[in-house]
Amino acid sequence: MAAKKRDSLRKVLSGIVAAITAAPDRTSEQGASTAKASVVAEWPLPPSATLGSSLRLKGIEREVRARLPWAVRTFAKADTGRIVLRMLKTDADAFQAASETISRTLEGIETLAVLPREAEDILTISARERHKWLKDGRLKSIGTRTVKMRGRSKAVTFHVFDPRHIEDILDRDLASAWREEDAREASENRRRGAGKAALTRAGKRQRKARNARNSGKDDAPRLEGWDTFEAEGLLR
């Protein structure tokens, strides 16, 4: 009887030990949760800054990241209409410093120069149209930038634009008007070219006809004794 009680007691104790062993470590879970917890800061971007362009938004993101340390750059991302900084709570000091840098960078971000690809995306124009309108002065440059591109042996220089100038073109839909002007000009140039080509062909036909007539006169057979008759000047 005593032996049965001891066996029963050992089974109960074994069960308690097994339960303790199998129970999750709440302390470690809380520590891991705290380590993975993040802090987030957001900065809204006005429409005058992005101009409705996803490429312009990415350009602002690049501008922000360029001001941050390498270890922090990937934590700053551009979202729809905003810049988001998300970091771990354990990096509180770096988070605070990055937040201050981003705030300073975004001050007056509406004046950030517009890059060529951004201008094409905002205005929905082609690179050919951008080059043509830049050359004839309709699209006005505020200067150039020279950068070294990855994968290129030489630096690339390109024109940049005032965002307010691009916004004015967008609001007044000048790109469509310029495109129509170019189409009319191209049509007129084709008409003039066709007229010049027709005159050139007509002139060639006339010259060929004259040459043929002159050649026919020179090749006509001469009468016998004509040279002597002409030499004596009887027709003078």
Side-chain angles (χ1 to χ4, degrees):
M1 188 70 177
K4 288 183 178 181
K5 287 183 178 180
R6 283 196 298 270
D7 291 339
S8 178
L9 182 59
R10 278 198 298 269
K11 289 180 180 181
V12 172
L13 293 175
S14 298
I16 294 173
V17 172
I20 294 174
T21 304
D25 187 352
R26 301 296 180 183
T27 303
S28 61
E29 284 185 1
Q30 291 175 357
S33 176
T34 302
K36 293 180 180 179
S38 59
V39 285
V40 181
E42 296 182 3
W43 293 263
L45 295 174
S48 58
T50 60
L51 296 175
S53 168
S54 59
L55 289 181
R56 175 74 169 166
L57 180 62
K58 293 300 292 184
I60 294 175
E61 180 187 80
R62 286 193 300 270
E63 186 72 15
V64 168
R65 286 183 171 183
R67 309 294 180 88
L68 298 174
W70 278 101
V72 182
R73 290 183 179 183
T74 56
F75 296 109
K77 295 183 179 180
D79 201 351
T80 304
R82 58 182 180 168
I83 295 293
V84 180
L85 178 66
R86 185 186 301 274
M87 298 179 66
L88 297 177
K89 278 188 175 181
T90 52
D91 299 326
D93 293 340
F95 176 83
Q96 181 63 29
S99 298
E100 294 174 358
T101 300
I102 294 174
S103 296
R104 288 193 302 269
T105 304
L106 293 180
E107 290 178 0
I109 196 63
E110 298 91 341
T111 63
L112 181 67
V114 178
L115 303 182
R117 291 291 302 279
E118 296 173 0
E120 293 171 12
D121 187 56
I122 294 168
L123 301 176
T124 318
I125 63 176
S126 66
R128 182 189 63 80
E129 289 174 326
R130 174 174 58 81
H131 286 296
K132 176 179 175 58
W133 298 342
L134 177 63
K135 184 177 181 180
D136 63 25
R138 285 180 283 186
L139 191 61
K140 295 177 173 56
S141 168
I142 58 171
T144 59
R145 281 188 184 178
T146 301
V147 297
K148 181 68 179 298
M149 307 291 288
R150 285 184 299 179
R152 291 176 180 263
S153 58
K154 296 182 179 179
V156 177
T157 300
F158 51 85
H159 287 271
V160 294
F161 309 96
D162 184 349
R164 301 289 72 81
H165 174 55
I166 298 298
E167 186 177 26
D168 180 60
I169 295 173
L170 178 65
D171 292 343
R172 296 164 60 190
D173 198 19
L174 293 180
S176 297
W178 294 346
R179 193 174 290 121
E180 292 176 2
E181 290 176 7
D182 292 345
R184 287 194 297 268
E185 182 182 356
S187 178
E188 181 65 19
N189 290 339
R190 286 194 297 269
R191 188 187 65 79
R192 291 177 180 175
K196 289 182 180 179
L199 291 174
T200 301
R201 288 193 297 270
K204 287 182 179 179
R205 285 195 296 268
Q206 291 176 358
R207 285 194 296 272
K208 286 182 179 179
R210 285 197 301 269
N211 293 337
R213 287 195 298 269
N214 294 334
S215 176
K217 291 179 180 180
D218 294 341
D219 295 341
R222 301 173 70 86
L223 296 174
E224 185 178 354
W226 179 264
D227 292 339
T228 302
F229 182 77
E230 187 178 22
E232 290 179 355
L234 297 178
L235 296 179
R236 296 173 186 169

